[in-house]
Amino acid sequence: MTLRPRLHDLYVGRVVLASVLLTWAVLLGFDLMMALSGQLGDLGKGSYDFPTALAVVAYSAPRRAYTIFPYAAVIGSLMGLGQLASTSELTALRALGLSRRRLSASVAAALAILTTLMVINGETLAPWAQLQADQLKLAAKTNNVAMARYQGLWAREGDTFLNAVDGEERVIDGRRTLELRDVRLYRLAPDGGLQSLTRAASAEYDRGGWRLRDVRRIVFSFAPGRASEERLAEDRWESQLDPNALAAGVTRPRNLSGADLRASIDYRHRNKLDAREYEDTYWSRWFYPLNVLALCLAAIPFAFGSLRSGGMGKRLFLGILFALGFMLLQMLFGRMAGATRFDYRIAYALPPILMLLISWLLFRRKSG
């Protein structure tokens, strides 16, 4: 079987792509309408009005398109192949000597183009656009220029715990700055006791560290009941804890890029914090292309048999059945991995492997 695309590959790919894009547009349209209806309850808060809500939903479209694509791919593929089967075009192609594997490869190649674009979108445009949506909504509802607002923030860096009553993240001259207010730094001794307590009126991240203002530090001595106190107008806390790590702590993992997820996981592992939620999202990104391929390949064998009759309703039903079944299977394995602390890589590899096994068994049965 030659891998060079021929006329029949381009024709099958074009039909499948057209069906997938149409299905994708319909599903995305429904999702955006539901998202817009969910924003109506916030209208009137601050300056948050209907045009702003439209802009917020529009900014979220790349992320929603990324999430919906696998299910649109399987439904669209079944509808496209069902169209070819109902007009006997698949039968004609088979009569010309084309194998089921070759036709499946044509579909997979067409979907690989869209899948590649979605992977790029999931790592670049989607996180950026979702951040813009969150910032726009926050600024409109609170009537200030803050990018993000933190309240009751806790973080850990080595043997030091940070607590801030509130804070704001801003962009000044194109540079992102984070200022925390009413900050407390609790530094623990190796035996677990409190070694020092530092309280600052504010803390601002600057070039690999934090600038503390109006500082009061109490250092506890090993001798019982003894402590020393010092006051400084300004001090510096050298720390690897950066604004991105803090932002990741208050941002949903699904809205972060792969690089930010990896940084968040490393930060949590370094400080012995729970990183399961971030690992869940991180490894689901890695298996995203395989999920699309396995889901569609498992559905393709139906195009050579049961989709020749039954019309659009049957094709749509089978597509939805496959999409929902795979979503539930993936959700089940993901939740089980989180509950039992099982390796997420294995948990996310099992559903596509099962789908590929189903596809192989169906192809073998129809070839027998």
Side-chain angles (χ1 to χ4, degrees):
M1 180 178 66
T2 178
L3 297 179
R4 186 173 60 186
R6 294 183 178 178
L7 184 61
H8 54 77
D9 296 313
L10 298 176
Y11 178 71
V12 173
R14 180 173 61 83
V15 172
V16 170
L17 281 179
S19 298
V20 170
L21 289 174
L22 178 61
T23 305
W24 197 9
V26 172
L27 293 178
L28 181 59
F30 277 122
D31 190 40
L32 291 175
M33 289 177 60
M34 294 296 294
L36 182 60
S37 66
Q39 299 293 321
L40 298 181
D42 291 329
L43 296 182
K45 296 180 180 179
S47 60
Y48 193 67
D49 53 14
F50 189 72
T52 306
L54 282 176
V56 169
V57 173
Y59 271 123
S60 70
R63 179 186 61 80
R64 298 178 186 278
Y66 176 89
T67 303
I68 290 173
F69 173 69
Y71 313 114
V74 65
I75 296 174
S77 297
L78 279 171
M79 293 180 66
L81 289 173
Q83 176 185 339
L84 294 175
S86 63
T87 58
S88 300
E89 290 177 272
L90 279 183
T91 304
L93 292 173
R94 293 280 290 126
L96 292 175
L98 298 177
S99 66
R100 292 186 176 93
R101 292 181 181 176
R102 179 70 191 215
L103 292 172
S104 299
S106 302
V107 176
L111 292 176
I113 299 173
L114 293 179
T115 304
T116 301
L117 293 176
M118 278 299 97
V119 170
I120 297 174
N121 168 59
E123 294 302 311
T124 55
L125 179 60
W128 174 86
Q130 186 62 49
L131 177 62
Q132 303 306 309
D134 295 340
Q135 293 171 5
L136 180 61
K137 184 175 182 178
L138 179 65
K141 290 176 63 177
T142 58
N143 287 324
N144 59 35
V145 295
M147 289 178 56
R149 185 175 294 277
Y150 303 87
Q151 292 183 342
L153 178 67
W154 283 91
R156 178 183 178 182
E157 179 62 29
D159 58 0
T160 303
F161 290 82
L162 177 147
N163 171 244
V165 174
D166 63 8
E168 290 180 351
E169 189 177 8
R170 303 171 182 268
V171 172
I172 302 176
D173 297 330
R175 184 172 61 90
R176 179 180 295 181
T177 62
L178 174 63
E179 181 180 0
L180 303 177
R181 291 186 290 271
D182 198 357
V183 178
R184 295 173 178 83
L185 299 175
Y186 303 90
R187 186 175 181 181
L188 302 183
D191 62 359
L194 183 60
Q195 182 174 342
S196 67
L197 169 61
T198 302
R199 182 168 181 173
S202 65
E204 182 178 355
Y205 183 77
D206 178 41
R207 296 190 301 275
W210 292 83
R211 186 187 301 122
L212 308 177
R213 296 186 179 89
D214 192 9
V215 180
R216 178 190 177 192
R217 178 178 293 112
I218 301 175
V219 179
F220 298 94
S221 173
F222 290 105
R226 298 189 59 183
S228 61
E229 179 181 351
E230 62 177 335
R231 294 179 180 269
L232 301 169
E234 186 172 302
D235 196 11
R236 186 172 178 82
W237 177 40
E238 299 294 343
S239 170
Q240 299 181 32
L241 182 66
D242 61 17
N244 290 331
L246 292 176
V250 295
T251 303
R252 292 182 178 180
R254 68 176 186 176
N255 296 338
L256 299 175
S257 66
D260 290 337
L261 286 169
R262 184 70 261 176
S264 299
I265 293 171
D266 292 340
Y267 159 72
R268 280 160 174 76
H269 284 169
R270 187 172 68 246
N271 293 287
K272 297 181 173 58
L273 300 174
D274 186 14
R276 305 291 291 178
E277 185 178 6
Y278 294 84
E279 291 176 342
D280 185 358
T281 306
Y282 179 74
W283 288 113
S284 70
R285 298 279 182 86
W286 276 95
F287 284 96
Y288 183 89
L290 181 59
N291 290 338
V292 176
L293 177 64
L295 189 57
C296 294
L297 286 180
I300 286 176
F302 288 95
F304 299 104
S306 60
L307 292 185
R308 295 178 184 175
S309 60
M312 183 71 71
K314 185 176 182 179
R315 294 193 288 273
L316 186 60
F317 173 76
L318 285 174
I320 295 175
L321 184 65
F322 260 92
L324 289 178
F326 184 78
M327 181 179 68
L328 292 175
L329 187 65
Q330 191 178 52
M331 187 180 301
L332 173 65
F333 279 100
R335 295 295 182 271
M336 289 179 60
T340 61
R341 297 192 173 274
F342 194 62
D343 194 323
Y344 278 106
R345 288 168 289 188
I346 299 177
Y348 276 108
L350 289 176
I353 289 175
L354 288 176
M355 283 294 178
L356 289 173
L357 179 61
I358 292 173
S359 177
W360 178 75
L361 292 175
L362 290 174
F363 266 111
R364 186 176 181 182
R365 190 186 69 176
K366 292 181 180 297
S367 299

